């Protein structure tokens, strides 16, 4: 645990995590595990640059899961590459520097994951569009949410177009602090047109952020 905490402290120093102690960040990341029914064989952390939640889950919760840490910023993935090696995770954790829209069309990644996690990747529409193609049928997307959300933040009719069942809102406990999560389960095919080309999910989101 001490090596993991040291890695998160370095991530904070580099500006990849918010200010303040790292232990609340660690506890928040561990809360993601409560939204998953079974240990995933393959998981992907979307926008993994700061190491949360993927790095924490890989070390502390799922020692047998094969992970992909995906981030488009080379500075962040360079940090993750080094930390993965230092923590002895390089045999089962791959770090990928690429846009999610590109990876979602790569046969090595499309439809391959049991779990996709997202702590602060982007607005709901962008996260859902980029994550859906990565999941296998029955796979789960777990997203960190602000405390106050509304039903139309994740509109069921648009999620269905991406192959998702309606969103499930969960509240987990992180050392006495509530963590708000949304769980989306893939229950149908993802149309070939998703994800759209690089930048379009953010420029022309499928639904507005409520």
């Amino acid at each position: 645990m001490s090596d993991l905490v040291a890695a998160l402290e370095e991530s904070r120093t580099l500006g990849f995590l918010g200010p303040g102690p790292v232990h609340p960040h660690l506890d928040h990341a561990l809360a993601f595990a409560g939204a998953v029914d079974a240990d995933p064989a393959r998981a992907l952390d979307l926008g993994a640059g700061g190491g949360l939640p993927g790095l924490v889950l890989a070390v502390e919760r799922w020692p047998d899961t094969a992970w992909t840490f995906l981030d488009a910023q080379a500075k962040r993935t360079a940090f993750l590459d080094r930390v993965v090696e230092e923590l002895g995770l390089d045999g089962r954790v791959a770090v990928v520097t690429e846009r999610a829209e590109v990876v979602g069309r790569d046969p090595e990644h499309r439809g391959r994951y049991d779990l996709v996690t997202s702590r602060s990747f982007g607005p709901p529409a962008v996260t859902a569009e980029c994550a859906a193609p990565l999941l296998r049928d029955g796979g789960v997307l777990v997203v960190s949410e602000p405390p106050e959300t509304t039903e139309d933040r994740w509109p069921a009719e648009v999620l269905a177009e991406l192959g998702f069942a309606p969103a499930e809102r969960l509240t987990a406990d992180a050392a006495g602090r509530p963590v708000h999560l949304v769980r989306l389960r893939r229950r149908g095919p993802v149309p070939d047109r998703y994800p759209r080309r690089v930048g379009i999910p953010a420029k022309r989101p499928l639904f507005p952020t409520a």
Side-chain angles (χ1 to χ4, degrees):
M1 175 72 83
S2 60
D3 290 342
L4 175 60
V5 170
L8 294 178
E9 288 176 342
E10 182 182 357
S11 180
R12 181 191 58 193
T13 300
L14 292 169
F16 302 155
L17 297 183
V22 300
H23 280 91
H25 291 295
L26 192 151
D27 293 334
H28 184 280
L30 290 174
F32 276 70
V36 181
D37 298 329
D39 294 2
R42 294 192 69 186
L44 181 143
D45 192 12
L46 195 59
L52 299 174
L55 189 64
V56 174
L57 294 171
V59 172
E60 292 295 322
R61 280 294 179 268
W62 294 314
D64 298 319
T65 298
W67 278 90
T68 297
F69 292 169
L70 176 62
D71 202 286
Q73 297 188 31
K75 287 184 179 180
R76 297 185 179 216
T77 54
F79 162 75
L80 286 174
D81 262 324
R82 178 170 53 79
V83 169
V84 162
E85 183 175 1
E86 290 172 354
L87 294 177
L89 303 173
D90 44 324
R92 63 182 180 91
V93 176
V95 179
V96 176
T97 310
E98 188 52 274
R99 292 290 298 251
E101 298 97 324
V102 174
V103 173
R105 292 193 168 278
D106 185 338
E108 291 189 11
H109 298 280
R110 189 178 180 94
R112 300 288 186 172
Y113 294 95
D114 305 297
L115 170 68
V116 172
T117 58
S118 172
R119 183 173 185 261
S120 55
F121 176 73
V126 178
T127 302
E129 180 174 345
C130 289
L134 297 166
L135 289 164
R136 65 165 179 79
D137 192 33
V140 169
L141 166 65
V142 181
V143 184
S144 178
E145 279 281 87
E148 300 297 330
T149 62
T150 60
E151 290 294 324
D152 55 355
R153 183 171 163 85
W154 298 88
E157 64 277 8
V158 185
L159 293 177
E161 183 180 343
L162 292 169
F164 281 124
E168 303 170 83
R169 289 163 178 80
L170 310 171
T171 301
D173 178 76
R177 292 179 295 272
V179 173
H180 302 277
L181 303 169
V182 159
R183 179 172 60 197
L184 302 178
R185 196 177 302 273
R186 234 203 81 186
R187 289 299 194 196
V190 180
D192 290 341
R193 64 182 176 274
Y194 298 121
R196 291 169 292 169
R197 67 181 185 274
V198 169
I200 298 302
K203 290 179 182 176
R204 297 204 295 270
L206 296 175
F207 53 90
T209 300

